[in-house]
């Protein structure tokens, strides 16, 4: 899943989402801070664009485009006042928090290593108002078109306790976040001694990206832990299908059911094949669980042999209100609480991709993440431990069957909800 931003001003890729975990190998060059400070008046609409940015940036983001983007930030947040936080990432890059009158903008800045060290990359990854509150986040979520949900839950006791939630008791589509069910069943089987993390298995039938295993040679040997790691960290669909098949659909269904799911749990290939055929969509939509299992059995050879179309989602949402995986935010919080207790390997897998920017991640002792998206769906699930040692789960989703959703608008809302947990807790 791609993580975007409310305003993306970029000429090159942002650093990895978990870059804050590793200390830079060498000290940051002073030019990075100098250029970050020089960025403030340019963000305010003053001259300087021509000399501050590298030619590569100016080709990717011409001044005619840059100006309206920075104006959008000023309209939302007021005037920029300075760099409030500066965290180096290697010698020529840093994560910065830019202070505005009414809020902050978090971003990544990257310099050209060649003199005069102009800014080659700038990516705004999130914004937040000053004096933020749960009520503000909830109001913004409730105002989104379609159906949007969010819940923040304290994991201190045996049952997640809502800190605040909006539509937390209604099921929403998960996209790739269903892979947390598969991870939970893998962890259960390892704990039961019927599976080992280092067990070697062949890669199964390829699915569509995201991921990398779909292009590996058929039957390539991988470990169970490798499959789980790729499934969660880069949302590898082929890894997911291979692992789900290894674990057994009935057992994955049973685990998913304990966290509010109604089976059968589709593999990604099954979902893609069904979504691509209106007749199968109709049959799936009107069927109960038993009828859906019968449909999968009857279509097994077709599902295995169909050539998947990588452009199948190019026209917009496809049956995302029926051929999907569904759960309530409350149930996702219970699932995250169970995964928290599943051991260091599971927690490590969840934390490879933090799902939030490095500055936000650095406010916590631990952040684990799994999201999901497709046209018309975004789902974000975070497990976090504060510096004070308290655990929280944040689960949010936004769904429209008729149009795309703006991932760049939803991620900051979930990030803000998570950040609120560090204030006085």
């Amino acid at each position: 899943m791609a993580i975007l931003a409310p305003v993306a001003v970029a000429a090159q890729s942002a650093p990895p989402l978990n870059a804050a975990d590793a200390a830079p190998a060498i000290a940051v060059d002073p030019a990075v801070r100098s250029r970050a400070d020089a960025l403030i008046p340019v963000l305010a609409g003053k001259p300087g664009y021509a000399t501050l940015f590298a030619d590569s940036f100016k080709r990717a983001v011409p001044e005619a485009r840059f100006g309206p983007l920075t104006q959008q930030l000023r309209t939302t947040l007021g005037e920029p006042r300075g760099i409030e936080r500066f965290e180096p990432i290697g010698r020529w890059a840093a994560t910065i928090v830019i202070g505005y009158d009414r809020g902050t903008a978090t971003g990544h800045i990257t310099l050209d290593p060649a003199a005069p060290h102009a800014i080659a990359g700038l990516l705004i990854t999130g914004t937040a108002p000053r004096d933020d509150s749960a009520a503000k986040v909830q109001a913004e979520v409730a105002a989104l078109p379609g159906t949007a949900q969010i819940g923040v839950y304290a994991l201190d006791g045996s049952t997640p306790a809502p800190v605040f939630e909006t539509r937390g008791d209604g099921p929403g589509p998960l996209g790739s976040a269903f892979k947390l069910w598969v991870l939970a069943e893998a962890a259960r089987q390892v704990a039961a001694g019927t599976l080992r993390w280092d067990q070697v298995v062949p890669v199964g039938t390829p699915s569509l990206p995201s991921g990398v295993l779909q292009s590996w040679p058929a039957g390539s040997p991988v470990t169970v832990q490798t499959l789980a790691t790729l499934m969660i960290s880069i949302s590898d669909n082929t890894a997911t299908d291979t692992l789900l098949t290894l674990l057994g659909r009935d057992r994955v269904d049973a685990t998913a059911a304990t966290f509010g799911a109604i089976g059968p749990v589709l593999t990604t290939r099954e979902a893609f094949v069904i979504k691509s055929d209106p007749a199968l969509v109709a049959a799936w939509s009107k069927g109960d669980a038993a009828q859906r299992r019968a449909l999968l059995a009857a279509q097994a050879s077709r599902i295995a042999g169909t050539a998947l179309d990588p452009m199948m989602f190019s026209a917009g949402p496809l049956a995302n209100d029926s051929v999907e995986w569904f759960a309530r935010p409350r149930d996702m919080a219970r699932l995250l609480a169970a995964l928290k207790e599943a051991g260091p390997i599971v927690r490590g897998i969840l934390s490879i991709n933090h799902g939030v920017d490095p500055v936000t991640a650095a406010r916590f002792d631990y952040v684990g993440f799994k999201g999901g998206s497709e046209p018309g769906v975004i789902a974000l699930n975070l497990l976090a431990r504060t510096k004070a040692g308290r655990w929280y789960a944040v689960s949010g989703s936004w769904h429209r069957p008729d149009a795309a959703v703006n991932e760049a608008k939803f991620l900051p809302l979930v990030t803000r909800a998570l950040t609120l947990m560090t204030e006085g807790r």
Side-chain angles (χ1 to χ4, degrees):
M1 181 183 74
I3 301 296
L4 305 177
V7 180
V9 183
Q12 61 185 47
S13 298
L17 291 173
N18 62 341
D21 285 347
I26 53 177
V28 66
D29 191 283
V32 181
R33 179 59 197 244
S34 175
R35 291 293 186 178
D37 290 332
L39 183 63
I40 301 304
V42 177
L43 293 176
K46 295 182 172 59
Y49 170 91
T51 56
L52 186 61
F53 292 100
D55 289 343
S56 60
F57 184 95
K58 289 185 283 189
R59 286 192 296 270
V61 189
E63 190 169 11
R65 181 182 170 214
F66 182 83
L69 291 172
T70 56
Q71 178 60 57
Q72 180 184 339
L73 283 170
R74 295 197 299 276
T75 299
T76 303
L77 301 174
E79 291 300 313
R81 299 303 177 187
I83 303 298
E84 294 189 0
R85 291 186 66 179
F86 178 88
E87 296 192 2
I89 304 174
R91 184 173 182 181
W92 297 109
T95 296
I96 56 176
V97 176
I98 306 161
Y100 285 76
D101 288 334
R102 297 191 297 274
T104 60
T106 300
H108 303 297
I109 184 173
T110 305
L111 267 56
D112 184 345
H117 308 307
I119 296 175
L122 174 65
L123 179 68
I124 303 300
T125 60
T127 62
R130 296 198 187 278
D131 302 318
D132 204 6
S133 68
K136 290 180 180 179
V137 172
Q138 288 180 277
E140 292 181 45
V141 169
L144 294 171
T147 302
Q149 308 163 275
I150 193 167
V152 178
Y153 306 88
L155 305 182
D156 300 322
S158 57
T159 302
V163 178
F164 66 87
E165 59 180 1
T166 298
R167 303 189 182 110
D169 60 349
L174 299 177
S176 285
F178 88 92
K179 295 167 185 177
L180 292 172
W181 295 335
V182 183
L183 180 63
E185 173 56 19
R188 188 198 68 79
Q189 292 191 23
V190 169
T194 57
L195 189 74
R196 302 190 320 273
W197 289 120
D198 63 356
Q199 185 172 325
V200 176
V201 298
V203 172
T205 305
S207 184
L208 290 175
S210 54
V212 295
L213 290 189
Q214 73 279 352
S215 60
W216 283 26
S220 294
V222 292
T223 66
V224 170
Q225 186 169 340
T226 297
L227 292 173
T229 299
L230 292 174
M231 175 179 71
I232 299 299
S233 64
I234 62 171
S235 208
D236 192 302
N237 288 330
T238 300
T240 304
D241 291 0
T242 301
L243 186 54
L244 195 159
T245 302
L246 174 70
L247 298 172
R249 185 192 302 279
D250 289 347
R251 290 184 286 274
V252 173
D253 284 355
T255 290
T258 67
F259 299 107
I262 298 175
V265 177
L266 291 165
T267 67
T268 66
R269 170 172 269 274
E270 289 169 340
F272 294 145
V273 171
I274 293 172
K275 282 175 178 284
S276 65
D277 184 331
L280 291 179
V281 170
W284 182 269
S285 300
K286 68 183 181 182
D288 59 20
Q291 290 168 326
R292 289 177 172 182
R293 289 188 178 93
L295 173 66
L296 292 176
Q299 297 292 328
S301 60
R302 176 183 174 185
I303 288 169
T306 294
L308 300 175
D309 179 6
M311 300 302 293
M312 62 180 290
F313 291 101
S314 59
L318 278 178
N320 62 21
D321 55 352
S322 56
V323 186
E324 260 288 343
W325 307 268
F326 295 88
R328 305 182 305 172
R330 293 178 185 177
D331 292 324
M332 296 306 289
R334 291 194 298 114
L335 174 57
L336 290 169
L339 292 171
K340 172 177 73 75
E341 302 298 330
I345 289 177
V346 170
R347 290 192 296 273
I349 289 170
L350 283 169
S351 68
I352 293 171
N353 179 354
H354 289 149
V356 294
D357 63 88
V359 171
T360 300
R363 300 179 69 164
F364 294 85
D365 275 343
Y366 172 92
V367 178
F369 168 78
K370 184 70 192 85
S373 69
E374 64 180 75
V377 173
I378 181 170
L380 303 170
N381 299 274
L382 292 141
L383 173 67
R385 183 178 62 222
T386 67
K387 300 287 188 182
R390 297 194 65 184
W391 286 91
Y392 293 92
V394 181
S395 180
S397 69
W398 181 15
H399 166 224
R400 294 189 65 177
D402 58 333
V405 296
N406 186 347
E407 296 182 12
K409 190 172 185 177
F410 194 67
L411 173 62
L413 292 172
V414 175
T415 301
R416 284 164 54 194
L418 176 69
T419 301
L420 288 169
M421 297 306 98
T422 66
E423 298 177 3
R425 292 177 167 85

